[in-house]
Every structure is written in structure tokens, then in C-alpha cells.
């Protein structure tokens, strides 16, 4: 993975997305009002000192945790695509994933490993984690998140193949006692050359070798 193009790519990349760092104040106010009702419904006193600002904090947190709706993942990739004849597997592994399960709106989190085999175009390596984040920062299920990432890379880069593996823990299962602590759900999605046993086995070997937790 000592690709000499890597540094060049990092330098040449243009910023393909804007991170949300300001909030929609009308949306925050409306959501905060609903959160106040939830707090009351739970039997708590929303006027209690520690809770007075909680509805607004929760509303802002939810806006941030779902800011992927405002991002265009394909555009993130297109902002840093380069013609290149390199045709070996490119892997970005151990990408941190933080998402919200759409059934309980509780976090699931873990790691994504993404690979593709270029077919005339490569993409700035830092864009892959941004694509993962753009889909993760929505209400999701792990299965669809995996396929969303795969499809975006497939349709935008048109590579010879794409592989996505996500390993995640789900608080909705761990905290509710449905799942043993530390058990991990693994999902995967492949296209093209990764449907061949040999290529897929090489990918799986590379993402599990020398794992540094
Ligand atoms: Zn859930």
C-alpha cells in the first residue's frame, strides 16, 4: 500500500463536501419542544437545572448525527477522481463508523473496510471515509449502509469491483440485553471481481491481517 500516488492525491484533493457546523435554528427549536415532552413523559422535570438545556442539546445532537442527509456522497467522490491506469486492489480499512439504527434511534458503531479495483479512475483515499460518513450519518440499518456505500462507489467510479465489509456493535441490542456484550454484526457487499473467490479471499485476508484493534 505504499502507492506513490497517495501523497499526490492527498495534496490535489479539493474539498468535496461541507461539514455541518451550524444548526437549523427553527428545526432545533421545534425538535427541542418535542424532546421536552418526552422528558416529561418519562416522569422527569424538564425545568430541573440539569435538564433545562437538554432539549436543545438533544436536538442539536440529532441534527449533527443525521447531517448525512445534507451530503451528496457521489459528489464527494467526483470532487477527487483522477485518470490513472493503476489496476491493483485499493483498500481503505478500519474506517470508524458511527450511525443510528433506524428502529430505535440508538447508535451502532464499528469499522468499515472498503476496497475497489480501479478501471481507469482512482479517487483520493480520504474521500472513501467521507462517503462512509455521509451514509452513516443518517437513520440506517447496517445492511443498507453497506450496500449504499458499495453502490455509490460502483456507480460513480465504475471500477472493476467494489468490496465493503462493516463490523459493528448495536447499542439497541447491547443496552436492551438482547445481545451479549461485545458481539459484533458483520455485513458485506461485493461487485465485479470481488465476486470471484480468489479476489474476495485476498481482500478478506488483507483486512484481517495484522489487525491493530
Ligand atoms: Zn435498533
Amino acid at each position: 500500500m505504499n502507492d506513490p500516488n497517495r501523497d499526490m492525491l492527498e495534496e490535489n484533493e479539493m474539498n468535496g463536501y461541507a461539514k455541518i457546523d451550524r444548526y437549523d435554528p427553527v428545526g432545533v427549536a421545534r425538535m427541542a419542544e418535542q424532546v421536552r415532552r418526552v422528558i416529561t413523559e418519562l416522569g422527569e422535570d424538564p425545568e430541573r437545572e440539569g435538564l433545562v438545556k437538554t432539549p436543545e442539546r438533544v436536538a442539536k445532537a440529532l441534527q449533527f448525527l443525521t447531517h448525512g442527509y445534507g451530503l451528496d456522497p457521489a459528489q464527494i467522490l467526483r470532487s477527487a477522481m483522477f485518470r490513472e491506469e493503476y489496476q491493483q486492489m485499493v483498500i481503505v480499512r478500519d474506517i470508524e463508523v458511527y450511525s443510528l439504527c433506524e428502529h430505535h434511534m440508538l447508535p451502532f458503531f464499528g469499522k468499515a473496510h472498503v476496497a475497489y479495483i480501479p478501471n481507469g479512475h482512482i479517487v483520493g483515499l480520504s474521500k472513501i471515509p467521507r462517503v462512509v460518513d455521509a451514509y452513516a450519518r443518517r437513520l440506517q440499518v447496517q445492511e443498507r449502509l453497506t450496500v449504499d456505500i458499495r453502490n455509490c462507489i460502483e456507480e460513480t467510479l465504475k471500477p472493476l469491483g467494489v468490496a465493503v465489509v462493516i463490523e459493528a456493535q448495536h447499542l439497541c441490542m447491547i443496552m436492551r440485553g438482547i445481545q451479549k456484550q461485545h458481539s459484533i454484526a458483520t455485513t458485506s457487499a461485493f461487485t465485479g471481481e470481488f465476486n470471484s473467490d480468489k479476489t474476495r479471499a485476498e481482500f478478506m485476508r488483507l483486512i484481517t491481517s495484522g489487525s491493530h484493534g
Side-chain angles (χ1 to χ4, degrees), residues 104-141:
H104 305 92
M105 291 177 67
L106 287 170
F108 66 94
F109 57 95
K111 285 178 176 173
H113 313 289
V114 177
Y116 71 100
I117 300 172
N119 185 24
H121 287 95
I122 57 172
V123 68
L125 290 174
S126 69
K127 300 306 178 191
I128 302 280
R130 289 182 190 169
V131 167
V132 171
D133 216 42
Y135 285 114
R137 300 303 193 168
R138 305 174 184 202
L139 301 184
Q140 274 288 8
V141 295

Side-chain angles (χ1 to χ4, degrees), residues 4-47:
N5 289 317
R6 180 178 175 150
D7 290 334
M8 181 197 78
L9 279 178
E10 296 291 334
E11 283 171 18
N12 288 347
E13 277 172 14
M14 293 180 298
N15 192 2
Y17 83 125
K19 184 180 165 191
I20 184 170
D21 53 8
R22 57 199 160 82
Y23 300 92
D24 161 21
V26 177
V28 165
R30 270 203 307 260
M31 221 185 315
E33 186 50 40
Q34 306 298 326
V35 174
R36 260 179 67 90
R37 288 188 202 162
V38 171
I39 290 171
T40 305
E41 193 63 34
L42 291 172
E44 264 286 6
D45 171 14
E47 301 304 326

Side-chain angles (χ1 to χ4, degrees), residues 101-106 170-173 176:
C101 101
E102 68 183 18
H103 300 137
H104 305 92
M105 291 177 67
L106 287 170
H170 293 246
L171 286 189
C172 65
M173 300 187 74
R176 294 163 68 236

Side-chain angles (χ1 to χ4, degrees), residues 74-99:
Q75 182 54 36
I76 291 170
L77 290 181
R78 281 195 296 267
S79 73
M81 273 174 61
F82 307 94
R83 279 210 64 80
E84 179 62 58
E85 293 315 310
Y86 185 81
Q87 282 201 334
Q88 303 302 308
M89 192 185 299
V90 177
I91 301 183
V92 183
R93 56 179 265 188
D94 297 330
I95 302 166
E96 287 185 17
V97 173
Y98 297 96
S99 191

